[in-house]
Amino acid sequence: MFAFSLLPSPGKGAPAAPERAEDAESALLAMGGAVIDEGPTGIKAPDGGWGWAILWGCFVITGFSYAFPKAVSVFFKELMREFGIGYSDTAWISSILLAMLYGTGPLCSVCVNRFGCRPVMLAGGLLASLGMVSASFCGSIIQLYLTTGVLTGLGLALNFQPSLIMLNRYFNKRRPMANGLAAAGSPVFLCALSPLGQVLQDHYGWRGGFLILGGLLLNCCVCAALMRPLEAPRQSSGSGPAPQRPPRRLLDLSVFRDRGFVIYALAASIMVLGLFVPPVFVVSYAKDLGVPDTQAAFLLTILGFVDIFARPTAGFITGLKKVRPYSVYLFSFAMFFNGFADLTGSTASNYGGLVVFCIFFGISYGMVGALQFEVLMAIVGTQKFSSAIGLVLLLEAIAVLIGPPSGGKLLDATHVYQYVFILAGAEVLASSLVLVLGNFFCIRKRPETATEEERHKPPEDVRVDSREVEQFLKTEPEKNGEVVHTPETSV
């Protein structure tokens, strides 16, 4: 597969490798190459210590990234009045924000691998803040698309992906719990930013609100400052050369050779088609049943409140020793639960039924949010995660742009909200089946691998020198933050 490889391939005529890692990086720069931030080899993830500061930074970044596109919708009515436009025109602001957050995944991967997580996040925080501050001076909706949509969306994307990469490097054994806690930033910030946006609009108008929100986004730069890279332990002069990094790539497309990654990417893309549809239409669904506006809006508050507790709980359960090897199946169950909640929610005929739907949808939605990146980390490992997450987000961006509009077209054609929920539920259920069946039939059963292992298995009557075994184990470098893959964890 194609990849941006910057190291010369070993072979006849190739220059000798530098003895120290620093010399290797200097040689790369001299050749016009790039020093790639892949994390030090041969060092374990600390699972604590400064990792808790990384977790807090990831919590804040996740909250801004996922909640900000929804919180901006508070200003839509005033924007419609200001520029004399319709709701569909203003809704493009949130759509462009989400499209930039998901669609720039490969670009973020290249930037992280070229410059490192901390510089990319600092630049992203400044871009996100600059976008909102510039938007407060805009005189047309097109200018808002470019500032709030493109600039702020790109800034949030340059923060979101690197924060997950750093979290993956600092946590290994406690990584499911760390992912769950970080994912809880989304509902927490949504519950905080939406009321804050309404208060700012009432007191300062939409321009003053955008200006203050732009100042709040500078906190992304503070979170970026927390992202301290892991440092390899210093070696004494007599301990031999430092461990060499693997071949360096700006965007590693070889992940598509991994059947587990392909199955995960396909399932995630199908899931996103229907995952975000119910929260978009549930309030309108309630109003269509004759529920007052205040009570209808409270449904999203219920959903968000349940989501706050569901994400860390799902992360804690996944981190249990007996559960973690089956995290892929747990993720598939979460998607199945979510799709089933959509199907049952379509039968709601009153406000009480929609409240029950929001509770169960919030639980399943939180489980999906806590497990999706944990499962991806377990599939591809640390070295390829920065490229894998960028490619997955790009595929999901296409589905995000298709999902809610297709639900809206179905609603315009039928004027029946139940059909929208049935469509969303069927799409999420299909994604769960793709994941679990693909894992069970395509990955879990590997007769070729088993045959190969049996072919190289030494005879039982052959004696092995224990000193040779000890020397072999000592020469095996540990991978940074890697999980030992079993058929269950390697989708």
Side-chain angles (χ1 to χ4, degrees):
M1 297 295 291
F2 177 76
F4 296 91
S5 181
L6 297 176
L7 280 182
S9 57
K12 187 176 181 180
E19 292 186 356
R20 299 185 58 83
E22 295 83 1
D23 297 334
E25 293 178 354
S26 301
L28 279 170
L29 288 174
M31 294 186 298
V35 178
I36 309 303
D37 177 30
E38 290 184 338
T41 58
I43 179 174
K44 288 184 177 180
D47 276 307
W50 191 255
W52 299 117
I54 301 292
L55 175 58
W56 170 252
C58 192
F59 174 88
V60 174
I61 295 298
T62 303
F64 275 125
S65 300
Y66 278 113
F68 210 81
K70 303 169 187 175
V72 172
S73 62
V74 173
F75 299 91
F76 281 0
K77 284 188 176 181
E78 193 164 340
L79 291 174
M80 292 164 60
R81 190 181 305 112
E82 173 87 11
F83 299 112
I85 54 179
Y87 184 83
S88 60
D89 294 326
T90 54
W92 272 103
I93 298 175
S94 294
S95 297
I96 295 173
L97 265 170
L98 286 173
M100 294 299 295
L101 180 63
Y102 282 90
T104 56
L107 173 63
C108 295
S109 297
V110 170
C111 291
V112 167
N113 290 336
R114 173 62 178 88
F115 301 105
C117 291
R118 181 186 281 175
V120 171
M121 291 180 67
L122 285 170
L126 292 174
L127 269 180
S129 177
L130 178 64
M132 290 304 294
V133 172
S134 301
S136 65
F137 299 98
C138 288
S140 68
I141 191 65
I142 300 297
Q143 294 174 356
L144 281 176
Y145 293 160
L146 296 175
T147 54
T148 305
V150 176
L151 278 182
T152 301
L154 178 59
L156 292 175
L158 292 175
N159 275 273
F160 176 61
Q161 189 171 321
S163 68
L164 288 177
I165 294 172
M166 290 300 296
L167 190 70
N168 177 45
R169 291 177 181 172
Y170 269 84
F171 286 92
N172 180 17
K173 294 181 179 179
R174 296 177 177 175
R175 193 176 64 203
M177 181 190 67
N179 273 300
L181 291 173
S186 174
V188 169
F189 271 62
L190 181 60
C191 293
L193 285 179
S194 294
L196 175 62
Q198 189 63 52
V199 171
L200 293 176
Q201 178 178 273
D202 294 340
H203 286 80
Y204 305 105
W206 73 268
R207 294 185 185 274
F210 275 30
L211 186 64
I212 294 174
L213 288 177
L216 284 178
L217 285 175
L218 286 175
N219 285 290
C220 294
C221 296
V222 179
C223 297
L226 296 175
M227 302 296 164
R228 185 172 67 193
L230 282 171
E231 296 181 0
R234 295 182 179 180
Q235 297 188 353
S236 59
S237 57
S239 59
Q244 296 295 321
R245 292 178 179 178
R248 305 174 178 192
R249 296 164 179 177
L250 290 179
L251 185 61
D252 190 358
L253 298 182
S254 66
V255 292
F256 283 106
R257 295 177 181 174
D258 188 340
R259 288 181 293 176
F261 173 79
V262 173
I263 292 172
Y264 175 91
L266 177 61
S269 300
I270 299 174
M271 175 190 70
V272 171
L273 283 173
L275 184 64
F276 301 120
V277 172
V280 172
F281 290 97
V282 67
V283 175
S284 300
Y285 186 10
K287 292 179 180 179
D288 188 63
L289 295 176
V291 177
D293 292 356
T294 305
Q295 292 184 3
F298 189 67
L299 289 172
L300 289 180
T301 304
I302 296 173
L303 194 156
F305 183 78
V306 174
D307 192 6
I308 291 174
F309 296 97
R311 297 192 183 218
T313 302
F316 175 79
I317 294 174
T318 307
L320 298 176
K321 184 180 294 187
K322 293 184 178 180
V323 178
R324 191 173 185 184
Y326 304 96
S327 59
V328 171
Y329 295 110
L330 186 60
F331 182 44
S332 179
F333 169 75
M335 292 191 291
F336 181 88
F337 187 13
N338 186 270
F340 184 75
D342 293 342
L343 295 180
T344 55
S346 66
T347 63
S349 58
N350 52 44
Y351 185 71
L354 289 178
V355 169
V356 174
F357 160 73
C358 286
I359 292 174
F360 284 99
F361 183 87
I363 295 172
S364 60
Y365 190 76
M367 292 175 64
V368 171
L371 294 174
Q372 57 179 341
F373 296 119
E374 162 61 26
V375 171
L376 179 60
M377 290 175 186
I379 292 170
V380 300
T382 302
Q383 296 297 329
K384 294 186 177 182
F385 180 70
S386 61
S387 296
I389 187 176
L391 295 170
V392 167
L393 289 176
L394 176 61
L395 295 175
E396 290 182 352
I398 301 173
V400 165
L401 292 176
I402 296 175
S406 63
K409 286 190 176 182
L410 179 62
L411 182 61
D412 292 337
T414 62
H415 301 286
V416 179
Y417 282 91
Q418 286 85 347
Y419 293 159
V420 177
F421 280 66
I422 291 174
L423 175 63
E427 289 167 343
V428 180
L429 283 176
S431 67
S432 70
L433 293 178
V434 168
L435 184 63
V436 71
L437 294 179
N439 180 65
F440 187 80
F441 290 106
C442 299
I443 307 299
R444 190 167 182 264
K445 296 181 180 181
R446 296 188 180 183
E448 301 85 357
T449 305
T451 305
E452 190 71 18
E453 291 176 356
E454 291 177 359
R455 191 180 304 147
H456 291 84
K457 187 176 180 180
E460 296 181 356
D461 57 344
V462 177
R463 294 183 180 181
V464 181
D465 191 347
S466 59
R467 290 175 296 179
E468 294 181 2
V469 174
E470 181 180 2
Q471 182 64 26
F472 172 76
L473 293 176
K474 286 183 178 180
T475 57
E476 282 292 310
E478 287 184 319
K479 295 182 179 179
N480 173 32
E482 289 283 0
V483 178
V484 178
H485 292 289
T486 64
E488 290 81 5
T489 57
S490 300
V491 178

